[in-house]
C-alpha cells in the first residue's frame, strides 16, 4: 500500500519506520527542512513509561488556581475568545474526576508499556544512539503533602503492574547522588526504575536516516494544504508543491492536526499547551542529574543528556505562539540551579514547543470515518515516551491487523 505520513516529528518518523517495516511504500511530508524541528526538538528528554499520567486529575482545578499565582508558576493561562481553547478547557475539567483519571491513566500506561518494549526493539534493530540512559525517573517531593498525594499514583502503578519504589531522602540520594548537597529540601521521592532518558531530536533524526535507507521518501520544506477526499475515501494530499496520491494517510501533525481534518466533520480535541526548555552544558558532573528528576513543586523535569542538562516544563495555554519570555527562562534556571547547579546556565539554549494535548491526556490513535484516513496525534506531555508504542499500533491498524494491545478506546470515536 502507498502510505503518506503527515509530519516528521517523533510520532511521524516512528510511524513511518513501522509502516516501512510492515512492507508499505511510505512517504513523509513536513514543512521543516528536517525531522523533529518543532515540538520534538528540545523536549525534556524523559522516556518515562511509568510516570505517564494525565494532567486532568482530581483536585487539579483547585491546584491550578494556586499555580497561576505562584512565583515561578508551573501554569500560565492566557484565555482568548477562541472556541477551540474554551471547549478544550471545558473537556479537560470534565476529566478531573477520580473515575476519568483512573481510565485515562490506565490507557496511557498501556501505550507507554508497549512503547517500552517497542523502543527496545527499535534500538536492537537499528543500533541507533541518542544519549540514552536507563536509570529511571525520580519524582521528587519537597513537601509531605506532595508525598501523600502520590498515593493515588502508587495505587495506579501497582494496579497496572508497573515497578516503583517509594523513597526517603537517603533513597533519593542513592539514586541521584548530587541531591546530597540539597538534602534539607527533600521529603521523599517516587522512583519508576524502568524509565529511561534520551534526546528525542537525535533519536528522530537517526531513525529517519534508517527509514530512508529502508526506502521511505522524505519530502521536507513542503507545506500540507489539504486532504484530497472523494466519496468518503482518501485519495491523496495537496501540498504547496504537488498533489500526492496515496491509499492511506496518517496524520501526525502534532498541535496542527485538528485543522486538517475539521472539514470532514472530525472533531479532534487537540490543543497546544506550550512548554519551555533550557539545554545547559555540564561543567561539574558531580552536581548534575544521572537520569530524569521531576521536581513536583515546579512541575519541571531535569534530565541528563550526555554532557548536557536538559530542564523542561511549564504549561502555558496561550494558543499557537512560540515566543520566548524571559520570565519563563528565569523559572527554569531557578528550578535547575536549586537542585543541580552543575551546568553553566549562561551558555544555555532556550526553547519553546507546543505540546499537542488532548483533554484526557491519551493520544488519538486509529481510523476515522474517512476511509483510509488515520490519526496518530495528541501525545501531549509524553509524546517521545509513547511514540514507539503508538507507531506500532497505527502501523497494525493501517495494515488491517489487530494491534498487539487493545486499541479500541484510543481512536477519535471515543469523544463521540
Ligand atoms: C517543554 C516540553 C517538554 C517535553 N518533555 C517531554 C519529555 O520529557 N518526554 C516526552 O515523552 N515528551 C515530552 N514532551 C512532549 C513531546 O515533545 C511531544 O509530545 C512530541 O514531540 C510530539 O511529537 P509529534 O511528532 O506529535 O509533534 P511535532 O514534533 O510537533 O511534529 C509535527 C510535525 O508536523 C509538521 N507540520 C505541522 N503542520 C504542518 C503543515 N501544515 N505542513 C507540513 N508540516 C506540518 C511540523 O513541522 C512538525 O515537524 C515535551 C514537550 C514540551 C513542549
Amino acid at each position: 500500500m502507498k502510505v503518506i505520513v503527515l509530519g516528521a516529528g517523533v510520532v511521524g518518523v516512528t510511524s513511518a519506520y513501522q509502516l516501512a517495516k510492515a512492507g508499505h511504500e511510505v512517504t513523509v511530508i513536513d514543512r521543516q527542512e528536517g525531522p523533529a524541528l518543532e515540538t520534538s526538538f528540545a523536549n525534556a528528554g524523559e522516556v518515562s513509561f511509568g510516570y505517564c499520567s494525565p494532567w486532568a486529575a482530581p483536585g487539579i482545578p483547585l491546584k491550578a488556581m494556586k499555580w497561576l499565582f505562584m512565583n515561578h508558576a508551573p501554569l500560565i493561562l492566557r484565555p482568548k475568545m477562541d472556541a477551540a481553547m474554551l471547549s478544550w478547557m471545558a473537556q479537560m475539567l470534565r476529566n478531573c474526576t477520580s473515575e476519568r483519571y483512573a481510565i485515562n491513566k490506565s490507557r496511557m500506561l498501556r501505550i507507554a508499556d508497549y512503547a517500552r518494549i517497542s523502543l527496545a526493539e527499535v534500538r536492537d534493530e537499528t543500533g541507533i544512539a541518542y544519549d540514552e540512559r536507563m536509570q529511571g525517573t525520580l519524582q521528587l517531593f519537597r513537601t509531605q503533602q506532595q508525598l501523600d498525594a502520590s498515593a493515588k499514583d502508587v495505587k495506579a502503578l501497582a494496579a497496572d503492574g508497573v515497578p516503583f519504589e517509594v523513597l526517603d531522602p537517603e533513597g533519593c540520594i542513592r539514586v541521584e547522588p548530587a541531591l546530597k548537597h540539597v538534602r534539607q529540601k527533600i521529603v521523599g521521592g517516587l522512583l519508576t526504575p524502568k524509565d529511561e532518558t534520551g534526546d528525542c531530536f537525535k533519536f528522530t533524526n537517526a531513525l529517519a536516516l534508517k527509514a530512508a535507507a529502508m526506502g521511505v521518501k522524505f519530502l521536507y520544506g513542503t507545506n500540507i494544504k489539504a486532504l484530497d477526499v472523494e466519496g468518503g475515501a482518501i485519495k491523496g494530499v495537496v501540498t504547496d508543491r504537488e498533489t500526492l496520491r496515496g491509499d492511506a494517510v496518517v496524520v501526525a501533525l502534532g498541535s496542527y492536526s485538528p485543522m486538517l481534518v475539521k472539514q470532514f466533520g472530525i472533531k479532534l480535541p487537540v490543543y497546544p499547551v506550550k512548554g519551555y526548555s533550557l539545554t545547559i552544558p555540564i561543567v561539574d558532573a558531580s552536581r548534575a542529574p544521572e537520569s530524569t528528576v521531576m521536581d513536583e513543586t515546579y512541575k519541571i523535569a531535569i534530565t541528563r543528556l550526555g554532557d548536557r542538562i536538559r530542564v523542561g516544563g511549564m504549561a502555558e495555554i496561550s494558543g499557537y505562539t512560540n515566543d520566548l519570555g524571559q520570565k519563563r527562562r528565569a523559572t527554569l534556571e531557578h528550578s535547575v540551579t536549586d537542585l543541580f547547579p552543575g551546568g553553566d546556565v549562561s551558555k544555555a539554549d532556550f526553547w519553546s514547543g507546543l505540546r499537542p494535548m488532548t483533554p484526557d491526556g491519551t493520544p488519538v490513535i486509529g481510523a476515522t470515518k474517512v476511509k483510509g484516513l488515520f490519526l496518530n496525534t495528541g501525545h501531549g506531555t509524553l509524546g517521545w515516551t509513547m511514540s514507539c508504542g503508538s507507531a506500532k499500533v497505527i502501523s497494525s491498524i493501517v495494515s488491517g491487523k489487530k494491534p498487539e494491545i487493545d486499541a479500541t478506546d484510543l481512536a477519535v470515536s471515543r469523544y463521540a
Side-chain angles (χ1 to χ4, degrees), residues 351-411:
W351 171 86
S352 78
L354 302 178
R355 300 177 187 90
M357 289 281 287
T358 58
D360 54 9
T362 312
V364 178
I365 313 168
T368 66
K369 58 186 177 185
V370 175
K371 194 167 172 274
L373 178 64
F374 300 87
L375 301 173
N376 190 14
T377 188
H379 292 70
T381 51
L382 288 170
W384 166 207
T385 300
M386 291 190 271
S387 57
C388 285
S390 65
K392 267 191 103 174
V393 170
I394 201 66
S395 170
S396 299
I397 294 172
V398 171
S399 307
K401 293 188 182 147
K402 193 168 179 277
E404 289 173 322
I405 58 166
D406 177 19
T408 49
D409 53 357
L410 304 180

Coordinates of all heavy atoms in Angstrom, one line a residue, residues 351-411:
W351 N 14.4 27.4 24.6 CA 13.5 26.9 23.5 C 12.0 26.8 24.0 O 11.8 26.6 25.2 CB 14.0 25.5 23.1 CG 13.1 24.8 22.1 CD1 13.1 24.9 20.8 CD2 12.2 23.7 22.5 NE1 12.2 24.0 20.3 CE2 11.6 23.3 21.3 CE3 11.7 23.2 23.7 CZ2 10.6 22.3 21.2 CZ3 10.8 22.2 23.6 CH2 10.2 21.7 22.4
S352 N 11.1 26.9 23.1 CA 9.7 26.6 23.5 C 9.1 25.7 22.4 O 9.5 25.7 21.3 CB 8.9 27.9 23.6 OG 8.5 28.3 22.3
G353 N 8.1 24.9 22.9 CA 7.4 24.0 22.0 C 6.0 23.8 22.4 O 5.6 24.1 23.5
L354 N 5.1 23.4 21.4 CA 3.7 23.3 21.7 C 3.3 21.8 21.8 O 3.3 21.0 20.8 CB 2.9 23.9 20.5 CG 3.2 25.4 20.2 CD1 2.4 25.8 18.9 CD2 2.9 26.2 21.4
R355 N 3.0 21.4 23.1 CA 2.6 20.0 23.3 C 1.2 19.8 22.7 O 0.3 20.6 23.0 CB 2.4 19.7 24.8 CG 3.7 19.9 25.6 CD 3.3 19.6 27.1 NE 4.4 19.9 28.0 CZ 4.6 21.1 28.5 NH1 3.8 22.1 28.3 NH2 5.6 21.2 29.4
P356 N 1.0 18.8 21.8 CA -0.3 18.6 21.3 C -1.1 17.8 22.3 O -1.1 16.6 22.4 CB 0.0 17.7 20.0 CG 1.4 17.1 20.2 CD 2.0 17.9 21.3
M357 N -1.9 18.5 23.1 CA -2.6 17.9 24.2 C -4.1 17.5 23.9 O -4.8 18.4 23.4 CB -2.7 18.9 25.4 CG -1.3 19.1 26.0 SD -0.8 17.8 27.2 CE -1.9 18.1 28.5
T358 N -4.5 16.4 24.4 CA -5.9 16.0 24.4 C -6.4 16.3 25.8 O -5.6 16.3 26.7 CB -6.1 14.5 24.1 OG1 -5.4 13.7 25.0 CG2 -5.7 14.2 22.7
P359 N -7.7 16.5 26.0 CA -8.2 16.8 27.3 C -8.1 15.6 28.3 O -8.0 15.8 29.5 CB -9.6 17.2 27.1 CG -10.0 16.9 25.7 CD -8.7 16.6 25.0
D360 N -8.0 14.4 27.8 CA -7.9 13.2 28.6 C -6.5 12.7 28.7 O -6.2 11.6 29.3 CB -8.9 12.1 28.2 CG -8.7 11.7 26.7 OD1 -7.8 12.2 26.1 OD2 -9.6 11.0 26.2
G361 N -5.5 13.4 28.1 CA -4.1 13.0 28.2 C -3.7 11.9 27.3 O -2.5 11.7 27.0
T362 N -4.6 11.1 26.8 CA -4.3 10.0 25.9 C -4.2 10.4 24.5 O -5.1 11.2 24.0 CB -5.4 8.9 26.1 OG1 -5.7 8.7 27.4 CG2 -5.0 7.6 25.4
P363 N -3.2 9.9 23.7 CA -3.2 10.3 22.3 C -4.4 9.7 21.5 O -5.0 8.8 22.0 CB -1.9 9.7 21.8 CG -1.4 8.7 22.8 CD -2.1 9.1 24.1
V364 N -4.6 10.2 20.3 CA -5.6 9.7 19.5 C -5.0 8.8 18.4 O -4.2 9.3 17.6 CB -6.4 10.8 18.8 CG1 -7.5 10.3 17.9 CG2 -7.0 11.7 19.9
I365 N -5.2 7.5 18.5 CA -4.5 6.6 17.6 C -5.6 5.7 16.9 O -6.3 5.0 17.6 CB -3.6 5.7 18.3 CG1 -2.7 6.5 19.3 CG2 -2.7 4.9 17.3 CD1 -1.9 5.6 20.3
G366 N -5.8 5.8 15.6 CA -6.7 4.9 15.0 C -7.3 5.5 13.7 O -6.9 6.5 13.2
A367 N -8.4 4.7 13.2 CA -9.1 5.1 12.0 C -10.0 6.2 12.2 O -10.3 6.6 13.4 CB -9.8 3.9 11.5
T368 N -10.5 6.8 11.1 CA -11.5 7.9 11.2 C -12.7 7.5 10.3 O -12.6 6.4 9.7 CB -11.0 9.2 10.7 OG1 -10.7 9.1 9.3 CG2 -9.7 9.6 11.4
K369 N -13.7 8.3 10.3 CA -14.9 8.0 9.4 C -14.5 8.1 7.9 O -15.3 7.7 7.1 CB -16.1 8.8 9.8 CG -15.9 10.3 9.7 CD -17.2 10.9 10.3 CE -17.0 12.4 10.3 NZ -18.2 13.1 10.9
V370 N -13.4 8.7 7.6 CA -12.9 8.8 6.2 C -12.1 7.6 5.9 O -11.1 7.3 6.6 CB -12.1 10.1 5.9 CG1 -11.6 10.1 4.5 CG2 -12.9 11.4 6.2
K371 N -12.5 6.8 4.9 CA -11.8 5.6 4.6 C -10.3 5.9 4.2 O -10.1 6.7 3.4 CB -12.5 4.9 3.4 CG -12.1 3.4 3.2 CD -13.1 2.7 2.3 CE -12.6 1.4 1.9 NZ -11.7 1.4 0.8
G372 N -9.4 5.2 4.9 CA -8.0 5.4 4.5 C -7.3 6.6 5.3 O -6.1 6.8 5.1
L373 N -8.1 7.3 6.1 CA -7.5 8.4 6.9 C -7.4 8.0 8.3 O -8.3 7.6 9.0 CB -8.4 9.6 6.8 CG -7.9 10.8 7.6 CD1 -6.6 11.4 7.1 CD2 -9.0 12.0 7.6
F374 N -6.1 8.0 8.8 CA -5.8 7.6 10.2 C -5.2 8.7 11.0 O -4.5 9.6 10.4 CB -4.8 6.4 10.1 CG -5.4 5.2 9.3 CD1 -5.3 5.1 8.0 CD2 -6.1 4.2 10.0 CE1 -5.8 4.1 7.2 CE2 -6.7 3.2 9.3 CZ -6.5 3.1 7.9
L375 N -5.3 8.6 12.3 CA -4.7 9.6 13.2 C -3.7 9.0 14.1 O -4.0 7.9 14.7 CB -5.8 10.3 14.0 CG -6.9 11.0 13.2 CD1 -8.0 11.5 14.2 CD2 -6.4 12.2 12.4
N376 N -2.6 9.7 14.3 CA -1.6 9.3 15.3 C -1.1 10.6 15.9 O -0.1 11.1 15.5 CB -0.5 8.4 14.8 CG 0.4 7.8 15.9 OD1 0.0 7.8 17.1 ND2 1.5 7.3 15.5
T377 N -1.8 11.2 16.8 CA -1.5 12.5 17.3 C -2.1 12.8 18.7 O -2.7 11.9 19.3 CB -2.1 13.5 16.3 OG1 -1.7 14.8 16.6 CG2 -3.7 13.5 16.2
G378 N -1.8 14.0 19.2 CA -2.3 14.3 20.6 C -1.5 13.7 21.7 O -2.1 13.3 22.7
H379 N -0.2 13.5 21.5 CA 0.6 12.8 22.5 C 1.0 13.7 23.7 O 1.6 13.2 24.6 CB 1.8 12.2 21.9 CG 1.5 11.1 20.9 ND1 0.9 11.3 19.7 CD2 1.7 9.8 21.0 CE1 0.7 10.2 19.1 NE2 1.2 9.2 19.9
G380 N 0.7 15.0 23.7 CA 0.8 15.9 24.8 C 2.1 15.9 25.5 O 3.2 16.1 24.9
T381 N 2.1 15.6 26.8 CA 3.2 15.8 27.7 C 4.3 14.7 27.4 O 5.5 14.9 27.7 CB 2.8 15.7 29.2 OG1 2.0 14.5 29.3 CG2 2.0 16.9 29.6
L382 N 3.9 13.5 27.0 CA 4.9 12.4 26.9 C 4.9 11.7 25.5 O 4.9 10.5 25.4 CB 4.6 11.4 28.0 CG 5.0 12.0 29.4 CD1 4.5 11.0 30.5 CD2 6.5 12.1 29.5
G383 N 4.9 12.6 24.5 CA 4.9 12.0 23.1 C 6.2 11.3 22.8 O 6.1 10.3 22.0
W384 N 7.3 11.7 23.2 CA 8.6 11.0 23.0 C 8.5 9.6 23.6 O 8.7 8.6 23.0 CB 9.7 11.9 23.5 CG 11.1 11.4 23.7 CD1 12.0 11.9 24.6 CD2 11.8 10.3 23.0 NE1 13.2 11.2 24.5 CE2 13.1 10.3 23.5 CE3 11.5 9.4 22.0 CZ2 14.1 9.4 23.1 CZ3 12.5 8.5 21.6 CH2 13.7 8.5 22.1
T385 N 8.0 9.6 24.9 CA 7.8 8.3 25.6 C 6.9 7.3 24.9 O 7.2 6.2 24.8 CB 7.3 8.6 27.0 OG1 8.1 9.5 27.7 CG2 7.1 7.4 27.8
M386 N 5.8 7.8 24.4 CA 4.8 6.9 23.9 C 4.9 6.6 22.4 O 4.3 5.7 21.8 CB 3.4 7.5 24.1 CG 3.0 7.5 25.6 SD 1.2 8.0 25.8 CE 1.3 9.7 25.9
S387 N 5.8 7.4 21.7 CA 5.9 7.3 20.2 C 6.1 5.9 19.6 O 5.4 5.6 18.7 CB 7.0 8.3 19.7 OG 8.2 7.9 20.3
C388 N 7.0 5.2 20.2 CA 7.3 3.9 19.6 C 6.2 2.9 19.7 O 5.9 2.1 18.8 CB 8.6 3.3 20.1 SG 10.1 4.1 19.5
G389 N 5.4 3.0 20.8 CA 4.2 2.2 21.0 C 3.1 2.6 20.1 O 2.5 1.7 19.4
S390 N 2.8 3.9 20.0 CA 1.7 4.3 19.2 C 2.0 4.1 17.7 O 1.1 3.8 16.9 CB 1.3 5.7 19.5 OG 2.3 6.6 19.2
A391 N 3.3 4.1 17.3 CA 3.7 3.9 15.9 C 3.4 2.4 15.5 O 2.9 2.2 14.4 CB 5.2 4.2 15.7
K392 N 3.6 1.5 16.5 CA 3.3 0.1 16.1 C 1.8 -0.1 16.1 O 1.4 -0.9 15.2 CB 4.0 -0.8 17.2 CG 5.4 -1.3 16.8 CD 5.8 -2.4 17.7 CE 5.8 -3.7 17.0 NZ 6.4 -4.8 17.9
V393 N 1.1 0.5 17.0 CA -0.4 0.4 16.9 C -0.9 0.9 15.6 O -1.7 0.2 14.9 CB -1.0 1.1 18.1 CG1 -2.5 1.2 18.0 CG2 -0.6 0.5 19.5
I394 N -0.5 2.1 15.2 CA -1.1 2.7 14.0 C -0.6 1.8 12.7 O -1.4 1.6 11.8 CB -0.8 4.2 13.8 CG1 -1.8 4.8 12.9 CG2 0.6 4.5 13.3 CD1 -3.2 4.9 13.4
S395 N 0.6 1.3 12.8 CA 1.0 0.5 11.7 C 0.2 -0.7 11.5 O -0.2 -1.1 10.4 CB 2.5 0.2 11.9 OG 2.9 -0.8 10.9
S396 N -0.2 -1.4 12.6 CA -1.0 -2.5 12.6 C -2.4 -2.2 12.1 O -3.0 -2.9 11.2 CB -1.2 -3.1 14.0 OG 0.0 -3.6 14.5
I397 N -3.0 -1.1 12.6 CA -4.3 -0.7 12.1 C -4.4 -0.4 10.6 O -5.2 -0.8 9.9 CB -4.8 0.5 13.0 CG1 -5.0 0.1 14.5 CG2 -6.1 1.1 12.4 CD1 -5.3 1.2 15.4
V398 N -3.4 0.4 10.2 CA -3.3 0.7 8.7 C -3.2 -0.6 7.9 O -3.8 -0.7 6.8 CB -2.1 1.7 8.4 CG1 -1.9 1.9 6.9 CG2 -2.4 3.1 9.1
S399 N -2.4 -1.5 8.4 CA -2.2 -2.8 7.7 C -3.4 -3.7 7.8 O -3.3 -4.9 7.3 CB -0.9 -3.5 8.3 OG 0.2 -2.6 8.3
G400 N -4.4 -3.3 8.5 CA -5.6 -4.2 8.7 C -5.4 -5.3 9.6 O -6.1 -6.3 9.6
K401 N -4.4 -5.2 10.5 CA -4.1 -6.2 11.5 C -4.6 -5.8 12.9 O -4.6 -4.6 13.2 CB -2.6 -6.5 11.6 CG -2.1 -7.1 10.3 CD -0.7 -7.6 10.5 CE -0.1 -8.2 9.2 NZ 1.3 -7.9 9.1
K402 N -4.8 -6.7 13.8 CA -5.2 -6.4 15.2 C -3.9 -6.0 15.9 O -2.9 -6.7 15.9 CB -5.8 -7.7 15.8 CG -6.5 -7.4 17.1 CD -7.3 -8.7 17.5 CE -8.0 -8.5 18.8 NZ -7.2 -8.7 20.0
P403 N -3.9 -4.8 16.5 CA -2.8 -4.4 17.3 C -2.5 -5.3 18.4 O -3.4 -6.0 18.9 CB -3.2 -3.0 17.8 CG -4.3 -2.5 16.9 CD -5.0 -3.8 16.5
E404 N -1.2 -5.3 18.9 CA -0.9 -6.2 20.0 C -1.4 -5.8 21.3 O -1.4 -6.5 22.3 CB 0.7 -6.4 20.0 CG 1.2 -7.2 18.8 CD 2.7 -7.2 18.7 OE1 3.4 -6.1 19.0 OE2 3.3 -8.2 18.3
I405 N -1.8 -4.5 21.4 CA -2.5 -4.1 22.6 C -3.9 -3.6 22.2 O -4.2 -3.3 21.1 CB -1.8 -2.9 23.3 CG1 -1.6 -1.7 22.4 CG2 -0.4 -3.3 23.9 CD1 -1.2 -0.4 23.1
D406 N -4.8 -3.6 23.2 CA -6.2 -3.1 23.0 C -6.1 -1.7 22.5 O -5.6 -0.8 23.2 CB -7.0 -3.3 24.2 CG -8.4 -2.8 24.1 OD1 -8.8 -2.6 22.9 OD2 -9.1 -2.5 25.1
A407 N -6.6 -1.4 21.3 CA -6.6 0.0 20.8 C -8.0 0.5 20.5 O -8.2 1.5 19.9 CB -5.8 0.1 19.5
T408 N -9.0 -0.3 21.0 CA -10.4 0.0 20.7 C -10.9 1.4 21.3 O -11.8 2.0 20.8 CB -11.4 -1.1 21.1 OG1 -11.0 -1.4 22.5 CG2 -11.3 -2.3 20.3
D409 N -10.2 1.8 22.4 CA -10.6 3.0 23.1 C -9.6 4.2 22.8 O -9.6 5.1 23.6 CB -10.8 2.8 24.6 CG -9.5 2.2 25.2 OD1 -8.6 1.8 24.5 OD2 -9.5 2.0 26.4
L410 N -8.8 4.0 21.8 CA -7.8 5.1 21.5 C -8.2 5.9 20.3 O -7.6 7.0 20.1 CB -6.4 4.4 21.3 CG -5.9 3.5 22.4 CD1 -4.5 2.9 22.0 CD2 -5.8 4.2 23.7
A411 N -9.1 5.5 19.5 CA -9.5 6.3 18.3 C -10.3 7.5 18.7 O -10.7 7.7 19.8 CB -10.3 5.4 17.4

